């Protein structure tokens, strides 16, 4: 938290919901009365590419991009992406990784391989990493669509924003009729370390 | 009220609030959301349309401005090249009501074929350039732009960049105020650019530029932030945000008006600091002008003209310049490299069948700009050139006329791109007795930029039903005698058509017709599966480059992996089944 700015890097693969997650986070920061910026490149993310979203909030935010190794928290929606971006974490920062795997099409060429033992490696770089199978937890809750909200619950433990503001924004952005399950999923995420 | 808006959304809001009445654009990343936002929220107040290309977008916006409406034309940076002809002379005629040309530049080529710096167009045409650095300014500068346009009788170039367009920040929202629309006022010497009039207008352009320079000296668009006087930084656009963060103690002259420069203000600023730097993205645009004015300045020596800047790149420049200690940058930790994820054609994308057929036909393929360009990446690797929108047809014709290439060549171009700038090239081929084969990959939409309507899609940006151009009839009308439609999901049919048409001694067009899988609606089909008993692990299905096909755990006797299909994402296009020599892929029986 350099100069009072909190930096959250959210990463994943096109279609996973990275942009919605960062949208919710920045709205929560705004609701707290903070200055906030976020940046991502849209472009070709829909076609299986890597998606990264930089979210920054605090008293006054200038650049919309987080400098190298100044991410206070990294939230990875996909395992290999967690490994790809773990080097952006600041010393003492927190990385949260959903262990879902999305195998890139390139692996079919036989020249590229999905990283082995990625979970161990991430822990090697960041012993305090939280790795979880959010999909499994969502199934336990009875709604596989809650992956996103569970991950935000986990994320909320590492940053200083109020719980009721989180829930307010998540419920505002959630599809009709899912307010309660979203709240449950968020609180479930908060229980995980 | 305050809202979180992207630069593009904020700019659109500015058009609404500050009395814009007319907006035209051709889609292109990172500019596309400007018009989409206007059409979505304010179409009752601001007319919004997709033009067939950027030249037309600017020309209609010019007409609307002559006609009394505050107007906008928006495009990506390379679009301004297409619109450059009207733009350069528009600088002479000036405007009716306020007219803004948005150029959304793409430093780092996130989704473009080059990273040209369009501030240079402003200088080229003697037109003022405004450069917002965040979302709030993206909205506010629309007001300045309209006012300057009307006060100085000039178009204004509002230059966005990807980071400004696509970053979100907090924006104060205001009410809409509409200016009076006086309609078109006849003025032959101003609007009819024949040499006798234009030469007088050129003199007006020169005197206008002097007035703009005087304006630049006093406008609040250019402001000084005094801090420590050891280092002074002249900066603008997104580079300002990076520089402010990287150099919290430095004094900054922040330019909102990037052309013409307030040279007296800069000279004064320079005289009060020990060392003057320019921090700007891409070309040394300010730096060259400042140096030419005889002011001692440093810039591109430390801040590269390639790729976008960020806080660390600015810090690195100042470390090299000896003004920062190397410890301000966090040393990297070495982590294991992870395989890349290049974008791929979607599952079921109709372009895949065409690419597979072209590969089988063994032809060279002059590509164009659209999703089909992704067919140039491995494993398909079937695109041999890609220059700019519309270039495929002319390129293929040129290779044919150059005469030394033994393999056949074809052009492949999407429906939107054909309409944008392929029609003229095809007419030229026919006129010059070419035998080029052009494939129009018609997926019924402008897909690459996110699914915009075009003149062949039967709806407008504002959602009205409209006439839809029949591409086959259009090609026949241009004089192409051999026009046929094929289904790109049928490999045999597509391959046969390619072979037949490339061997024909006349110009021909093959229109491959199938809807896009994402737009206007996501298509789900009935998925296929691999019978692992039959699969011989030959890899033929891997070579179609489908994201639904992956390596399975099961191997053949030589240890080569067999394939598997993800039933959730497979749309059932059947291309993999058609290339499978072992008949191992079939539709899942429900
Ligand atoms: C001059 C110019 N304008 C706009 C763009 C942005 N752009 C890239 S691809 C594309 C259109 C693609 O549509 P189409 O040809 O129908 O192919 P599809 O993506 O649908 O397959 C556009 C507008 C560009 N690259 N250059």
């Amino acid at each position: 938290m350099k100069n009072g700015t909190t930096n959250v890097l959210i990463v994943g693969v096109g279609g996973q919901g990275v942009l919605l997650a960062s949208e919710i986070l920045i709205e929560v920061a705004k609701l707290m009365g903070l200055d906030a910026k976020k940046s991502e490149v849209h472009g070709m993310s829909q076609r299986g590419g890597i998606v990264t979203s930089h979210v920054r909030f605090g008293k006054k935010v200038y650049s919309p991009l987080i400098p190298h190794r100044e991410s206070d928290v990294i939230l990875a929606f996909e395992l290999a992406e967690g490994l790809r971006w773990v080097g952006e974490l600041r010393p003492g920062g927190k990385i949260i990784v959903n262990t879902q795997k999305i195998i890139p099409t390139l692996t079919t060429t036989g020249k590229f391989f999905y990283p082995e033992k990625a979970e161990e490696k991430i822990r090697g770089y960041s012993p305090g990493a939280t790795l979880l199978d959010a999909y499994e937890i969502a199934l336990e809750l009875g709604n596989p669509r809650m992956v996103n909200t569970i991950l935000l619950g986990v994320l909320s433990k590492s940053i200083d924003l109020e719980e009721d503001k989180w829930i307010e924004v998540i419920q505002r952005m959630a599809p009709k009729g899912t307010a309660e399950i979203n709240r449950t999923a968020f609180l479930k995420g908060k229980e995980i370390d | 009220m305050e809202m979180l808006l992207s630069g593009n959304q904020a700019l659109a809001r500015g058009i609404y609030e500050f009395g814009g009445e007319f907006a035209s654009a051709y889609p292109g990343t990172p500019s596309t959301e400007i018009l989409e936002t206007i059409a979505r929220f304010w179409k009752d107040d601001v007319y919004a349309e997709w033009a067939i290309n950027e030249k037309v977008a600017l020309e209609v916006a010019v007409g609307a401005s002559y006609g009394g409406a505050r107007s906008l034309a928006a495009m990506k940076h390379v679009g301004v090249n297409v619109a450059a002809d009207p733009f350069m002379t528009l600088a002479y005629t000036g405007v009716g009501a306020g007219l803004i040309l948005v150029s959304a530049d793409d430093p780092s080529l996130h989704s473009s074929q080059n990273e040209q710096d369009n501030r240079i167009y402003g200088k080229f045409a003697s037109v003022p350039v405004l450069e917002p650095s965040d979302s709030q300014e993206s909205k506010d500068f629309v007001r300045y732009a309209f006012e300057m346009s009307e006060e100085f009788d000039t178009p204004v170039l509002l230059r966005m960049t990807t980071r400004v367009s696509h970053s979100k920040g907090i924006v104060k929202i205001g009410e809409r105020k509409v200016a009076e629309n006086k309609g078109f006022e006849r003025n032959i010497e101003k609007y009819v650019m024949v040499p006798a009039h234009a030469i007088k207008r050129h003199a007006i352009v020169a005197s206008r530029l002097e007035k703009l320079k005087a304006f630049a000296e006093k406008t609040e668009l250019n402001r000084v932030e005094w801090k420590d006087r050891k280092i002074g930084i002249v900066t603008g656009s997104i580079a300002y945000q990076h520089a402010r963060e990287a150099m919290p103690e430095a004094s900054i002259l922040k330019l909102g008006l990037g052309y013409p420069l307030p040279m007296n203000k800069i000279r004064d600023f320079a005289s009060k600091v020990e060392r003057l730097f320019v921090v700007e993205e891409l070309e040394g645009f300010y730096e060259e002008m400042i140096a030419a004015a005889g002011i001692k300045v440093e810039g591109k020596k430390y801040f590269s003209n390639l790729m976008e800047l960020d806080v660390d790149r600015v810090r690195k420049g100042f470390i090299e310049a000896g003004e920062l200690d190397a410890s301000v940058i966090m040393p990297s930790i070495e982590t294991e490299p992870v395989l890349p994820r290049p974008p791929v054609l979607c599952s079921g994308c109709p372009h895949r069948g065409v690419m597979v057929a072209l590969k089988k036909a063994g032809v060279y393929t002059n590509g164009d700009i659209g999703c089909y360009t992704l067919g140039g990446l491995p494993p398909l690797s079937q695109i041999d050139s890609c220059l700019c929108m519309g270039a495929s047809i002319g390129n293929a014709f040129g290779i044919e006329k150059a005469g030394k290439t033994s393999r056949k060549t074809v052009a492949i171009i999407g429906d939107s791109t054909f309409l944008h700038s392929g029609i003229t090239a095809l007419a030229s081929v026919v006129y010059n007795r070419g035998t080029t084969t052009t494939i129009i990959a018609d997926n019924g939409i402008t897909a690459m930029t996110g699914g915009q309507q075009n003149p062949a899609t039967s709806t407008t940006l504002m959602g009205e039903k409209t006439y839809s151009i029949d591409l086959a009839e259009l090609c026949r009308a241009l004089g192409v005698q051999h026009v046929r439609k094929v289904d790109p999901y049928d490999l045999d049919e597509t391959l046969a058509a390619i072979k037949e048409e490339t061997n024909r001694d006349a110009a021909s067009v093959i229109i491959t017709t199938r809807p896009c899988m994402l737009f206007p609606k996501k298509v789900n089909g009935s998925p296929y599966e691999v019978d692992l008993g039959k699969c011989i692990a030959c890899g033929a299905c891997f070579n179609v480059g489908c994201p639904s096909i992956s390596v399975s755990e099961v191997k053949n006797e030589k240890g080569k992996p067999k394939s598997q299909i993800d039933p959730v994402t497979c749309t059932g296009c059947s291309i993999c089944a058609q290339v499978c020599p072992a008949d191992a892929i079939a539709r899942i029986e429900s």
Side-chain angles (χ1 to χ4, degrees):
Chain A
M1 253 159 259
K2 216 171 167 179
N3 311 322
T5 299
T6 301
N7 298 322
V8 182
L9 180 64
I10 307 184
V11 301
V13 176
Q16 279 196 298
V18 168
L19 302 187
L20 179 61
S22 68
E23 199 69 29
I24 290 171
L25 171 58
I26 192 176
E27 288 287 349
V28 179
K30 173 174 174 275
L31 206 57
M32 297 277 301
L34 300 170
D35 189 22
K37 282 187 181 168
K38 79 163 191 153
S39 184
E40 63 248 344
V41 171
H42 309 199
M44 300 197 255
S45 56
Q46 253 152 334
R47 289 150 192 84
I50 299 163
V51 183
T52 61
S53 183
H54 295 227
V55 183
R56 315 188 74 192
F57 49 89
K59 217 167 136 260
K60 173 78 190 155
V61 180
Y62 290 104
S63 171
L65 294 174
I66 304 170
H68 181 51
R69 287 195 75 201
E70 288 186 23
S71 293
D72 298 295
V73 189
I74 296 178
L75 171 60
F77 276 57
E78 200 270 352
L79 183 60
E81 295 310 310
L83 182 58
R84 187 191 310 281
W85 297 101
V86 63
E88 292 300 317
L89 205 57
R90 74 161 162 80
K94 175 79 177 176
I95 181 163
I96 300 155
V97 183
N98 182 23
T99 53
Q100 187 194 354
K101 290 183 184 178
I102 298 177
I103 314 286
T105 310
L106 264 191
T107 52
T108 59
T109 59
K111 293 182 191 130
F112 293 90
F113 301 93
Y114 194 88
E116 284 177 15
K117 303 201 177 115
E119 304 192 19
E120 275 170 47
K121 287 172 186 161
I122 292 170
R123 282 220 173 82
Y125 298 120
S126 177
T130 297
L131 293 119
L132 71 154
D133 185 344
Y135 186 70
E136 197 60 35
I137 299 165
L139 284 183
E140 279 166 30
L141 286 176
N143 188 338
R145 287 167 191 268
M146 288 302 119
V147 169
N148 219 308
T149 311
I150 293 166
L151 290 172
L152 287 173
V154 186
L155 173 69
S156 72
K157 296 182 10 169
S158 302
I159 47 185
D160 194 16
L161 298 170
E162 288 164 20
E163 176 177 307
D164 52 340
K165 301 270 191 321
W166 273 104
I167 293 175
E168 183 184 330
V169 174
I170 289 172
Q171 294 192 331
R172 185 184 348 131
M173 295 212 186
K176 271 206 175 65
T178 64
E180 209 32 56
I181 177 84
N182 267 290
R183 182 193 154 82
T184 312
F186 179 78
L187 295 174
K188 180 82 195 166
K190 279 196 83 167
E191 287 169 16
I192 296 161
D193 358 65
Chain B
M1 198 187 41
E2 289 186 338
M3 284 176 86
L4 277 163
L5 298 179
S6 71
N8 281 348
Q9 291 168 333
L11 196 163
R13 178 76 205 181
I15 296 296
Y16 169 76
E17 282 184 21
F18 305 119
E21 292 186 89
F22 183 97
S24 183
Y26 182 73
T29 316
S31 70
T32 312
E33 302 82 7
I34 299 169
L35 267 272
E36 288 177 336
T37 304
I38 294 174
R40 180 156 167 221
F41 296 106
W42 307 297
K43 66 176 182 217
D44 294 337
D45 296 294
V46 186
Y47 169 85
E49 63 159 40
W50 295 129
I52 199 164
N53 65 27
E54 292 88 350
K55 179 174 185 286
V56 174
L58 180 57
E59 287 158 350
V60 293
V62 169
S65 156
Y66 289 173
R70 283 192 164 182
S71 300
L72 165 77
M75 53 201 63
K76 70 183 287 164
H77 59 334
V78 286
V80 180
N81 302 332
V82 179
D85 196 6
F87 178 67
M88 294 304 292
T89 307
L90 167 66
Y92 284 27
T93 70
V95 302
L99 174 59
I100 299 173
L101 170 60
V102 168
S103 167
D105 292 10
D106 192 16
S108 282
L109 306 93
H110 294 286
S111 24
S112 303
Q113 62 268 38
N114 78 19
E115 55 176 349
Q116 68 185 56
D117 185 336
N118 275 6
R119 294 177 299 172
I120 295 169
Y121 267 115
K123 184 162 188 279
F124 194 13
S126 298
V127 162
V129 182
L130 290 181
E131 297 186 74
S133 74
D134 63 12
S135 295
Q136 182 69 52
E137 288 184 350
S138 298
K139 192 193 88 168
D140 294 344
F141 283 17
V142 170
R143 177 171 65 84
Y144 287 102
F146 276 143
E147 287 173 4
M148 284 172 69
S149 175
E150 286 164 6
E151 183 181 342
F152 296 97
D153 190 11
T154 177
V156 172
L157 190 63
L158 184 56
R159 189 238 190 190
M160 305 290 279
T161 68
T162 300
R163 284 296 163 197
V164 178
S165 285
H166 284 174
S167 295
K168 281 198 167 178
I170 295 174
V171 177
K172 290 194 187 65
I173 300 301
E175 297 288 309
R176 174 170 165 90
K177 289 183 216 72
V178 195
E180 188 197 353
N181 180 336
K182 297 196 194 106
F184 181 63
E185 287 169 28
R186 194 165 195 237
N187 185 341
I188 291 174
E189 291 212 337
K190 174 167 155 64
Y191 291 133
V192 184
M193 284 302 92
V194 293
H197 299 164
I199 198 158
K200 290 187 200 145
R201 294 298 304 180
H202 195 185
I204 291 173
V205 170
S207 62
R208 181 181 73 202
L209 188 59
E210 290 312 309
K211 288 181 199 142
L212 283 163
K213 283 179 184 166
F215 171 82
E217 299 291 351
K218 50 183 213 294
T219 173
E220 66 216 18
L221 286 162
N222 303 323
R223 63 160 197 267
V224 178
E225 296 173 4
W226 283 119
K227 298 239 172 147
D228 190 279
R229 305 212 170 191
K230 203 162 162 285
I231 293 173
I233 302 171
V234 178
T235 184
S237 186
I238 192 73
Y240 160 77
Q241 304 290 349
H242 303 318
R244 186 70 285 170
E245 180 163 337
M247 301 295 284
E249 300 309 323
S251 292
I252 286 186
L253 169 48
K254 195 241 180 221
L255 299 172
L257 181 59
Y259 184 80
L261 292 186
M263 211 50 88
N264 294 332
K265 198 170 194 154
I266 293 170
R267 197 182 304 281
D268 178 64
F269 180 71
S271 73
K272 290 174 181 156
V273 297
E274 280 174 38
R275 208 172 160 188
L276 183 73
F277 290 90
V278 172
V279 177
E280 60 190 321
E281 236 166 30
L282 298 179
E283 302 311 319
F285 181 68
Y286 309 150
E287 184 186 353
E288 281 174 25
M289 287 186 281
I290 294 169
I295 300 166
K296 188 160 179 283
V297 61
E298 299 166 278
K300 284 296 141 189
K301 197 164 137 203
Y302 303 116
F303 309 100
S304 166
N305 64 341
L306 312 179
M307 314 275 287
E308 61 179 351
L309 295 177
D310 56 28
V311 175
D312 282 330
R313 291 190 80 198
V314 175
R315 286 173 179 158
K316 275 185 194 133
F318 282 106
I319 292 169
E320 263 176 63
E323 296 292 351
L324 274 186
D325 191 84
S327 66
V328 297
I329 294 189
M330 289 292 293
S332 295
I333 54 166
E334 205 154 315
T335 56
E336 175 175 305
V338 175
L339 77 174
R341 293 183 193 266
V344 284
L345 294 172
C346 301
S347 298
C349 173
H351 299 329
R352 179 171 291 104
V354 190
M355 291 297 155
V356 172
L358 285 167
K359 198 164 186 171
K360 283 203 168 175
V363 295
Y364 284 128
T365 306
N366 292 108
D368 222 294
I369 305 206
C371 285
Y372 40 91
T373 320
L374 297 175
L377 301 175
L380 288 164
S381 307
Q382 188 51 40
I383 300 287
D384 299 296
S385 75
C386 167
L387 183 64
C388 67
M389 283 188 77
S392 58
I393 300 174
N395 289 168
F397 174 73
I399 289 180
E400 171 190 321
K401 285 289 169 194
K404 284 286 183 191
T405 307
S406 52
R407 260 204 249 179
K408 302 280 182 196
T409 62
V410 302
I412 183 164
I413 185 166
D415 48 331
S416 189
T417 303
F418 179 69
L419 293 164
H420 174 279
S421 49
I423 303 169
T424 43
L426 185 58
S428 193
V429 166
V430 175
Y431 167 59
N432 288 304
R433 306 166 55 90
T435 65
T436 314
T437 299
T438 300
I439 297 174
I440 301 178
D442 181 10
N443 58 1
I445 202 96
T446 317
M448 177 113 268
T449 43
Q452 292 75 28
Q453 305 82 352
N454 68 47
T457 56
S458 74
T459 46
T460 68
L461 171 60
M462 298 199 292
E464 299 144 325
K465 281 264 157 260
T466 186
Y467 182 79
S468 142
I469 292 177
D470 180 327
L471 295 174
E473 284 308 316
L474 173 60
C475 295
R476 286 189 192 102
L478 294 175
V480 182
Q481 303 292 319
H482 307 278
V483 180
R484 57 154 94 173
K485 285 191 185 180
V486 299
D487 178 358
Y489 280 1
D490 186 334
L491 278 185
D492 289 341
E493 183 193 11
T494 307
L495 180 59
I498 292 168
K499 283 193 174 153
E500 198 177 318
E501 297 306 339
T502 50
N503 282 309
R504 197 190 286 286
D505 211 18
S508 57
V509 170
I510 302 169
I511 304 175
T512 62
T513 319
R514 270 280 172 183
C516 170
M517 292 292 105
L518 290 180
F519 310 109
K521 267 203 308 283
K522 189 153 173 30
V523 177
N524 300 308
S526 50
Y528 277 57
E529 65 185 343
V530 179
D531 180 337
L532 288 170
K534 287 189 188 167
C535 175
I536 55 171
C538 67
C541 59
F542 291 153
N543 290 335
V544 305
C546 175
S548 297
I549 302 177
S550 61
V551 173
S552 77
E553 300 288 321
V554 185
K555 302 205 161 76
N556 73 357
E557 60 287 353
K558 289 190 196 134
K560 279 186 72 186
K562 299 188 178 189
S563 61
Q564 61 185 9
I565 296 174
D566 175 4
V568 179
T569 55
C570 173
T571 65
C573 75
S574 85
I575 296 296
C576 57
Q578 292 178 57
V579 300
C580 176
D583 258 343
I585 303 178
R587 198 179 289 278
I588 298 175
E589 300 293 339
S590 47

